[in-house]
Amino acid sequence: MKTYTTQMDAAKKGIITPQMKDVLEMETISEKELLKGMAAGSIALPANIHHKNLKGIAIGKGLTTKVNVNLGVSKDCCDFDLELGKADMAVDMKAHSVMDLSVSGDTRAFRQKLVEKMPVMIGTVPIYDTLTRTGKKGYDITLEEWFETVEIHAADGIDFITIHAGLTQKVVKSIHTNPRLTGVVSRGGAILMEWMIKNNKENPFYEHFDRLLDICEANDICISIGDGLRPGCLKDATDAPQIEELITLGELTKRAWARNVQVMIEGPGHVPLNEIEMNMKLQKKLCHNAPFYVLGPLVTDIAPGYDHITSAIGGALAAMHGADFLCYVTPAEHLRLPELSDVKEGIMASRIAAHAADIANGIPGAMDPDIKMGKARFELDWEGQFEVAMDPEKAREYRASSQPEEETVCTMCGEFCAVKRTRDVLIS
């Protein structure tokens, strides 16, 4: 008989859940450390009770850096089969979660398909879906309609939901006194800000946060508290509105933990390299070491078409200094809905960033595949290199596309191969 309400409640009671057993199989953390981190809130294990085929994955202190893949349809590009293909690719390429951001069509049917077939965590933004579901303008949504959508997503088995509960009236005023170059770039943040201003009311998810916690506790949903005022350009990074909202996110975190509801904190955004470490440490301090989920950060604004690279640079540095969860960015960011090829590039860029950070953070075993690669390269063992590569298929294609005269080397150096020369001198 189940004797706990949520994963956090189980951890506080010293109970190892089936999902925790999954985590212990894939991480090097000890059972004691996992329970301690989850009880304290520094580790989150999103696992909705209705997501039956979920394999538990945890995010936070002492764990490997995780990668999320965003997908979903829009009015202009509404092909649910294509999005399911992206989800399958995400799982095949070892992403740890999928977020459905669909804003058109039969979103519930698609969401239910995702939950039914995906073994990884599923996240959503109910604020978007409320507009799609009701067909109303954002400012015409009622309080009941906001929460009805959350309840629907809970019943559908969504493991974590992004809710921009920290965008209060006080924070909105901060935007007026601290003008921004790009204003509000968060879709959820912009929708709620419009609702608040046009209705002259407080953020419904802030004012009725306990009602949100009721739903999350009953279904064991992790709240990913959204950063409605994340900077949308380098000029706006680390400004007063962003920090004002972050302080509120920290307050909401403690309220959620008191109800045994798990929390992640979402973070920027567009941040210059020299401000990333400060942003990570500030979040951890103000939000009591809750797991940090970042979009990027993107370290320059002028590389559309290459933002998977600008994001990977920022993501590696962010994860080295405290970020726990990287939301992938594709080459299509800021330009269009990503295609399958964009999704692959985005996943690989984020996985590389996450792995680089795990090595820098001294995660036990993180460097093991790199050591295997170094050994295979010195032995001129091409098959061994492919086996340990993050993307064996691409590595094989490149190798096959340009064959050398001597099969042990490559066409970059040929007879001038330093490794072959060294082996001939040292080993022969």
Side-chain angles (χ1 to χ4, degrees):
M1 182 177 178
K2 188 176 177 182
T3 56
Y4 57 90
T5 55
T6 67
Q7 295 288 328
M8 186 178 216
D9 182 43
K12 289 179 179 178
K13 293 175 178 176
I15 299 170
I16 295 293
T17 68
Q19 294 79 15
M20 291 182 200
K21 289 180 181 178
D22 291 337
V23 172
L24 292 169
E25 287 178 3
M26 70 177 291
E27 303 279 356
T28 56
I29 194 170
S30 70
E31 183 178 297
K32 181 180 178 180
E33 290 171 326
L34 178 62
L35 288 171
K36 181 180 178 181
M38 289 184 62
S42 61
I43 295 175
L45 202 174
N48 187 311
I49 59 174
H50 304 296
H51 191 172
K52 301 302 183 182
N53 66 328
L54 174 70
K55 185 174 177 63
I57 297 173
I59 303 158
K61 184 178 179 181
L63 304 174
T64 53
T65 306
K66 304 306 187 298
V67 172
N68 171 70
V69 170
N70 286 344
L71 48 80
V73 302
S74 67
K75 184 178 180 181
D76 293 315
C77 299
C78 194
D79 185 341
F80 283 113
D81 288 338
L82 176 60
E83 299 310 301
L84 284 173
K86 293 176 183 177
D88 287 335
M89 174 182 284
V91 173
D92 290 343
M93 296 189 68
K94 301 181 181 178
H96 303 95
S97 74
V98 168
M99 281 200 83
D100 173 26
L101 309 183
S102 294
V103 291
S104 184
D106 191 347
T107 55
R108 188 170 196 189
F110 176 62
R111 187 167 59 247
Q112 290 173 333
K113 281 185 181 179
L114 276 180
V115 173
E116 181 182 355
K117 71 182 301 190
M118 291 291 106
V120 299
M121 300 177 288
I122 306 293
T124 60
V125 188
I127 291 169
Y128 303 168
D129 196 39
T130 304
L131 274 65
T132 304
R133 183 177 67 85
T134 63
K136 289 184 175 182
K137 299 291 186 183
Y139 50 79
D140 287 332
I141 301 295
T142 66
L143 177 65
E144 292 305 313
E145 287 167 337
W146 287 126
F147 279 94
E148 282 171 7
T149 306
V150 176
E151 290 171 348
I152 290 170
H153 285 223
D156 287 345
I158 298 305
D159 303 297
F160 66 97
I161 54 173
T162 292
I163 300 287
H164 303 80
L167 186 68
T168 63
Q169 288 281 14
K170 180 181 177 183
V171 174
V172 169
K173 289 178 182 177
S174 180
I175 302 174
H176 295 294
T177 54
N178 300 274
R180 287 181 145 196
L181 184 62
T182 55
V184 178
V185 299
S186 160
R187 282 192 290 183
I191 291 168
L192 281 177
M193 184 176 69
E194 178 190 44
W195 188 92
M196 293 160 63
I197 291 173
K198 293 202 173 184
N199 290 288
N200 192 28
K201 291 182 179 180
E202 183 54 275
N203 182 334
F205 294 105
Y206 177 78
E207 185 175 6
H208 301 277
F209 193 63
D210 285 330
R211 182 173 176 179
L212 178 64
L213 294 179
D214 288 340
I215 300 170
C216 293
E217 183 182 19
N219 297 275
D220 200 358
I221 299 175
C222 176
I223 304 176
S224 187
I225 310 184
D227 52 338
L229 294 182
R230 67 174 179 267
C233 68
L234 298 188
K235 182 69 169 57
D236 294 340
T238 328
D239 66 355
Q242 177 193 331
I243 303 306
E244 183 79 47
E245 182 184 35
L246 188 61
I247 292 170
T248 305
L249 303 193
E251 296 169 357
L252 294 174
T253 296
K254 282 195 168 182
R255 288 176 60 184
W257 286 345
R259 294 283 301 276
N260 291 320
V261 173
Q262 298 181 102
V263 169
M264 295 187 291
I265 303 296
E266 295 190 12
H270 294 241
V271 183
L273 271 174
N274 60 305
E275 293 184 17
I276 289 177
E277 179 180 1
M278 173 179 59
N279 268 265
M280 301 305 109
K281 291 182 176 178
L282 192 60
Q283 182 277 333
K284 289 290 183 177
K285 179 71 173 178
L286 294 177
C287 296
H288 323 293
N289 291 311
F292 200 16
Y293 175 25
V294 296
L295 178 68
L298 282 70
V299 296
T300 180
D301 300 327
I302 60 170
Y306 299 92
D307 277 329
H308 58 310
I309 298 174
T310 67
S311 170
I313 294 169
L317 191 59
M320 188 174 76
H321 290 295
D324 307 286
F325 197 16
L326 304 181
C327 184
Y328 92 147
V329 173
T330 77
E333 185 78 8
H334 301 112
L335 301 171
R336 60 166 168 79
L337 199 73
E339 297 177 350
L340 280 172
S341 60
D342 299 317
V343 170
K344 180 175 181 178
E345 291 297 314
I347 293 172
M348 288 308 306
S350 290
R351 281 192 59 203
I352 292 166
H355 179 66
D358 289 345
I359 292 172
N361 289 330
I363 297 294
M367 198 183 289
D368 288 354
D370 297 80
I371 292 172
K372 289 179 181 178
M373 178 64 84
K375 184 174 184 292
R377 282 179 173 158
F378 185 69
E379 293 175 352
L380 297 171
D381 176 7
W382 293 98
E383 198 57 38
Q385 293 178 52
F386 299 146
E387 288 176 2
V388 77
M390 279 191 177
D391 185 355
E393 181 183 351
K394 187 170 186 177
R396 290 180 191 278
E397 288 176 357
Y398 269 73
R399 171 71 176 168
S401 69
S402 182
Q403 289 293 312
E405 288 185 9
E406 185 178 341
E407 63 178 15
T408 59
V409 299
C410 76
T411 54
M412 178 72 176
C413 297
E415 62 179 310
F416 289 93
C417 176
V419 172
K420 185 177 184 303
R421 193 177 299 269
T422 301
R423 286 179 60 81
D424 289 344
V425 171
L426 296 181
I427 297 177
S428 60

